[in-house]
Amino acid sequence: MSVLVTGAAGFIGFHTSLRLLARGETVIGVDSLNAYYDPALKRARLAQLLDRPGFVFHQADIADRAAMAEVAKAHPDITGYINLAAQAGVRHSLKAPHDYTHSNIEGHLVMLELARANDKCRHFVYASSSSVYGANTKLPFSVEDRVDHPISLYAATKRAGELMSHCYSHLYRIPTTGLRFFTVYGPWGRPDMAAYLFAKAILEGRPITVFNHGDMRRDFTFVDDIVAGVVGVLDNPMADDSGAPPARVYNIGNHRSEKLMDFIGLVEQSLGIKAQYQFEPMQPGDVKETYADISAIQRDVGFAPTTPISVGVPKFIEWFKQYHRV
Ligand SMILES: NC(=O)c1ccc[n+]([C@@H]2O[C@H](COP(=O)([O-])OP(=O)(O)OC[C@H]3O[C@@H](n4cnc5c(N)ncnc54)[C@H](O)[C@@H]3O)[C@@H](O)[C@H]2O)c1
């Protein structure tokens, strides 16, 4: 099977590509290697992938129709799509809104069009986000809940991706599955996310910024568990036999809502250094608590996360120290 993975040099795309290559798939990786965060980290991930047989890379912007048509032409055997390329980050969407519509809406549409033009497409899997739940207060968040009150443009673009995918499943009978990821962390993680920001500040002797005065909870999900879910989902496209569009959306989280201060405690413990805290109010666009109801993905593809933060955080810190040679 040939799988087109977009955002392959990104955090989740890199781990997903590694897993697919390990089981003998051909992976066509696409990434623009943009400078939202240090492209050196993206290149370092990419170097690992390029070392492995079965991996082909195209540096391209998924919103560039002509470039993506070239990628499709070069690889007529693609049967699966995993669209992970996106402008991520809730807070940045207040500063650079157009980057979000460009990659997450226009780019997502270009990817759906590629799948539509491909008779061999078995499944189109894509990243959504827990942020689509907005300010919902009913916990855990369930895929049955209403998600039409986004509180950041990032969330709005991710929800738009779900709606566009549903439309393509309806019109063209393409099986699509959206994955609402819940705060993913682990080795090779993103520099704009909590685990990385905390580790870096603590090691540099700077205070860590803790929003909502530390009164936050997150369903932190270790990247290996996420990848098991992504690949399990890819292998199980929804059957198109009920008359309804073959479109699904799943939560993919750890199903444990952890106190932010407990997560920070594990970072401190793994580094052996006590942090200095700088407490700040809640950030616009942010939510106080996330907690995933994962019963649907458990039932349909046997998803079963196994990594508590007490195991995952030390693994992240071990990678962080090795990567930064500290
Ligand atoms: N990490 C999380 O906790 C989390 C949570 C919810 C949703 N998500 C979603 O999961 C997906 C992967 O996230 P990640 O954490 O790996 O982020 P990431 O930023 O590390 O990876 C995204 C990759 O996509 C690339 N990219 C961005 N725009 C592109 C474009 N227009 N064309 C081609 N490449 C482009 C970037 O260069 C980057 O390498 C994203 O869709 C993100 O919104 C992630």
Side-chain angles (χ1 to χ4, degrees):
M1 182 157 82
S2 284
V3 184
L4 176 56
V5 178
T6 72
F11 172 39
I12 301 173
F14 160 69
H15 284 282
T16 302
S17 299
L18 278 182
R19 185 74 62 98
L20 291 171
L21 291 167
R23 66 176 204 179
E25 317 276 4
T26 298
V27 174
I28 320 301
V30 170
D31 201 296
S32 62
L33 303 176
N34 69 36
Y36 166 60
Y37 62 78
D38 187 1
L41 176 58
K42 299 180 182 183
R43 290 191 181 281
R45 297 185 188 119
L46 190 57
Q48 305 250 334
L49 293 171
L50 288 167
D51 260 358
R52 288 168 166 76
F55 185 74
V56 185
F57 182 67
H58 295 268
Q59 182 171 356
D61 182 332
I62 59 162
D64 180 340
R65 277 189 262 174
M68 292 311 294
E70 284 301 315
V71 171
K73 205 166 136 198
H75 303 283
D77 293 332
I78 292 167
T79 51
Y81 296 82
I82 305 182
N83 187 31
L84 302 172
Q87 179 55 56
V90 167
R91 290 171 199 150
H92 187 67
S93 71
L94 279 78
K95 290 189 208 137
H98 296 285
D99 292 355
Y100 290 75
T101 52
H102 175 82
S103 295
N104 307 2
I105 296 188
E106 185 59 29
H108 191 70
L109 176 60
V110 170
M111 292 304 301
L112 284 168
E113 277 289 305
L114 285 194
R116 171 163 91 97
N118 177 2
D119 296 343
K120 294 184 183 145
C121 171
R122 285 184 60 239
H123 200 182
F124 184 95
V125 178
Y126 62 94
S128 182
S129 164
S130 60
S131 64
V132 300
Y133 291 105
N136 284 12
T137 49
K138 178 189 145 286
L139 292 162
F141 295 151
S142 159
V143 285
E144 310 297 330
D145 298 341
R146 284 185 68 170
V147 281
D148 45 11
H149 298 100
I151 60 167
S152 69
L153 188 77
Y154 170 63
T157 62
K158 285 292 175 183
R159 180 65 182 137
E162 294 180 354
L163 298 173
M164 289 156 68
S165 305
H166 184 278
C167 170
Y168 269 59
S169 292
H170 168 77
L171 290 174
Y172 310 116
R173 312 313 296 185
I174 302 166
T176 64
T177 305
L179 299 173
R180 294 176 180 168
F181 295 133
F182 281 68
T183 317
V184 189
Y185 74 100
W188 298 96
R190 266 174 37 206
D192 62 330
M193 292 190 69
Y196 199 115
L197 291 169
F198 292 152
K200 188 164 188 289
I202 293 172
L203 281 164
E204 290 173 0
R206 288 184 289 109
I208 61 170
T209 311
V210 183
F211 294 112
N212 204 33
H213 307 282
D215 183 17
M216 300 244 254
R217 297 181 84 111
R218 285 288 178 275
D219 198 331
F220 289 102
T221 317
F222 192 63
V223 69
D224 290 357
D225 289 326
I226 287 284
V227 169
V230 173
V231 173
V233 162
L234 177 72
D235 292 342
N236 288 284
M238 188 176 169
D240 186 8
D241 56 6
S242 68
R248 292 176 305 198
V249 171
Y250 290 129
N251 285 337
I252 173 164
N254 200 33
H255 191 53
R256 287 168 183 239
S257 194
E258 309 279 4
K259 286 184 186 149
L260 177 63
M261 294 312 289
D262 289 347
F263 187 83
I264 293 172
L266 285 166
V267 174
E268 293 175 317
Q269 201 181 310
S270 309
L271 288 170
I273 307 173
K274 186 91 188 85
Q276 310 155 50
Y277 308 130
Q278 183 176 323
F279 291 108
E280 298 277 347
M282 193 74 164
Q283 291 284 288
D286 236 351
V287 302
K288 190 175 163 213
E289 183 165 358
T290 68
Y291 179 23
D293 174 341
I294 55 172
S295 49
I297 190 169
Q298 258 167 343
R299 178 195 64 222
D300 294 350
V301 306
F303 175 67
T306 57
T307 318
I309 56 173
S310 57
V311 173
V313 170
K315 285 189 181 173
F316 167 74
I317 296 296
E318 193 188 326
W319 167 78
F320 187 92
K321 288 167 84 173
Q322 213 178 333
Y323 181 72
H324 290 285
R325 299 198 175 90
V326 285

